[in-house]
Amino acid sequence: MLETALHYSHYLLDKAVKTGDITIDATVGNGHDTLKLAHLVGSTGRVIGFDIQEQAIQTTLEKVIADGFKSQVDLHLSGHEEIGSLSLEDESVSAVVFNLGYLPRGDKSIVTTPATTLEAIQHSLPLLKKDGVLLIMVYYGHEGGRNEKDAVLSLVETLPQKDYNVLRYGFINQVNSPPFLLAVEKK
Amino acid sequence: MLETALHYSHYLLDKAVKTGDITIDATVGNGHDTLKLAHLVGSTGRVIGFDIQEQAIQTTLEKVIADGFKSQVDLHLSGHEEIGSLSLEDESVSAVVFNLGYLPRGDKSIVTTPATTLEAIQHSLPLLKKDGVLLIMVYYGHEGGRNEKDAVLSLVETLPQKDYNVLRYGFINQVNSPPFLLAVEKK
């Protein structure tokens, strides 16, 4: 009955994202979230995706085309800290999604890192519109993962409660560093 | 859009508890959860409530009678560690609810304590049926609250993942030790 952190993040996206919305997939990876967002925003919306790995962008582009979502998805072969270079107005985005760690079934030595992850989160926050969400799936079992987890927690725990709700959701009795969800909602 | 821990606990109760079920309110307090459970189980179900304060039992009994729930509610003026004395079969209960801390608007010096809280949780776990839930609202801002929080976390974090899912849900950017929810689901 209790949902995994991943399922709960999808439940929140279903609630937060409407047809025509602008959204960001900060870590495209195998494209699951890009496709989900593309489905939610529809042909009048927009999904802007980032990944530093050509393999991730290429695989996801093929899926996007196959599913008929090409018109609403822009993929960028660059790090998510480039969110700061997007010409988007403040309070114009309904969802930003991060998956920390490495590309599943990819090169496990290529991982997200605290400096660029924090920069990407900080660039994302002003873009969120009221009731918009920034969702971070925190995978931290890999080398350096705990440092990144702690750095991200330190950042979101100190977001002012008059402007944001910050939720932590996850199972806590599992071995192997189970992922958890951080959900930041703009009030 | 993000729900408070208290609202999320009610959402889980709505999913877990059906007409005719047996349920336990381990800390009756002002009776909110007793009434909610009584409504969910209906006249064919049962709510067994515990509280060590006569004020809590008396106030709640009046509400129970006023709402027409007398037939399905049994209130015990005793500590929740007495859950172990109930003549209930294992795997017969769909929900057990705890609210740690003091009675709101009551005597703030009377609080739940680690020893009896842990004993009550340990007595409750075998009673849970498959997909049943044990919900603990952890208020820990009072003196001794952090000790109790840590003791409860240590217990539930080590429940075997083949038998239980243990979820932690709560806002993490709030001042004044906001309560969080621990939800234990029997697999």
Side-chain angles (χ1 to χ4, degrees):
Chain A
M1 191 190 77
L2 297 178
E3 295 184 282
T4 63
L6 186 61
H7 280 110
Y8 196 68
S9 75
H10 289 168
Y11 162 77
L12 292 178
L13 284 181
D14 288 339
K15 290 215 294 183
V17 180
K18 303 280 182 286
T19 304
D21 280 358
I22 302 173
T23 61
I24 298 173
D25 187 348
T27 46
V28 165
N30 288 318
H32 297 300
D33 289 335
T34 302
L35 293 174
K36 176 157 187 75
L37 291 169
H39 174 74
L40 290 172
V41 300
S43 58
T44 57
R46 197 170 162 207
V47 184
I48 307 162
F50 292 89
D51 210 290
I52 53 167
Q53 297 192 64
E54 192 151 4
Q55 178 198 344
I57 296 293
Q58 188 57 38
T59 311
T60 299
L61 182 59
E62 287 163 15
K63 291 176 180 169
V64 163
I65 292 169
D67 288 3
F69 293 141
K70 186 68 194 75
S71 66
Q72 68 253 44
V73 176
D74 299 319
L75 297 177
H76 296 251
L77 179 60
S78 58
H80 47 204
E81 64 277 14
E82 294 300 319
I83 288 171
S85 319
L86 293 172
S87 53
L88 292 173
E89 289 182 22
D90 281 359
E91 305 192 18
S92 65
V93 168
S94 65
V96 185
V97 181
F98 287 78
N99 280 276
L100 305 187
Y102 51 78
L103 176 67
R105 297 182 300 283
D107 182 344
K108 292 187 169 54
S109 72
I110 305 177
V111 296
T112 54
T113 55
T116 54
T117 296
L118 294 187
E119 190 180 341
I121 294 170
Q122 276 157 334
H123 285 313
S124 299
L125 290 170
L127 300 178
L128 286 179
K129 61 184 185 185
K130 183 177 178 318
D131 299 328
V133 289
L134 185 153
L135 303 181
I136 310 169
M137 280 295 297
V138 184
Y139 296 86
Y140 60 97
H142 56 283
E143 194 174 329
R146 283 176 190 275
N147 281 347
E148 186 176 40
K149 166 175 82 73
D150 293 341
V152 170
L153 276 171
S154 295
L155 172 60
V156 299
E157 280 172 351
T158 52
L159 291 175
Q161 79 183 84
K162 72 175 177 38
D163 299 323
Y164 299 97
N165 286 320
V166 181
L167 172 72
R168 179 174 176 160
Y169 180 109
F171 291 154
I172 59 171
N173 70 322
Q174 304 196 344
V175 293
N176 298 327
S177 311
F180 63 88
L181 171 68
L182 294 171
V184 179
E185 175 186 27
K186 176 79 71 74
K187 285 186 175 175
Chain B
M1 190 189 79
L2 297 178
E3 295 184 281
T4 63
L6 186 61
H7 280 110
Y8 196 69
S9 76
H10 289 169
Y11 163 77
L12 293 179
L13 284 181
D14 287 338
K15 290 216 295 184
V17 180
K18 304 278 181 287
T19 305
D21 280 357
I22 303 172
T23 60
I24 297 173
D25 187 349
T27 46
V28 164
N30 288 318
H32 298 300
D33 289 335
T34 302
L35 292 175
K36 174 156 188 76
L37 291 169
H39 174 73
L40 289 173
V41 301
S43 58
T44 57
R46 196 170 163 209
V47 184
I48 307 162
F50 293 89
D51 209 290
I52 53 168
Q53 297 192 65
E54 190 151 5
Q55 177 197 346
I57 296 293
Q58 189 55 40
T59 311
T60 299
L61 182 60
E62 286 164 15
K63 291 176 181 170
V64 162
I65 292 169
D67 288 3
F69 293 141
K70 184 69 194 76
S71 66
Q72 67 253 46
V73 176
D74 299 321
L75 297 177
H76 297 251
L77 179 61
S78 58
H80 46 202
E81 65 278 15
E82 294 300 318
I83 288 171
S85 319
L86 293 172
S87 53
L88 292 174
E89 289 183 21
D90 281 357
E91 304 191 17
S92 65
V93 169
S94 65
V96 185
V97 180
F98 288 78
N99 280 277
L100 305 186
Y102 52 77
L103 176 67
R105 298 182 300 282
D107 182 344
K108 290 187 171 52
S109 73
I110 305 177
V111 295
T112 53
T113 55
T116 54
T117 296
L118 294 187
E119 190 180 341
I121 294 170
Q122 275 158 335
H123 285 314
S124 299
L125 290 171
L127 300 178
L128 286 180
K129 61 183 183 185
K130 183 177 176 320
D131 299 328
V133 290
L134 186 153
L135 303 181
I136 310 168
M137 280 295 295
V138 185
Y139 297 85
Y140 61 97
H142 55 283
E143 193 172 330
R146 283 175 190 274
N147 280 348
E148 186 175 37
K149 166 175 83 73
D150 292 342
V152 170
L153 275 171
S154 294
L155 172 61
V156 300
E157 280 172 350
T158 52
L159 291 175
Q161 80 182 81
K162 71 175 177 41
D163 300 324
Y164 300 97
N165 285 320
V166 181
L167 173 72
R168 178 173 177 162
Y169 180 110
F171 291 154
I172 58 171
N173 69 322
Q174 304 197 342
V175 294
N176 298 327
S177 313
F180 62 89
L181 171 67
L182 294 171
V184 179
E185 175 187 28
K186 175 79 72 74
K187 285 186 176 177

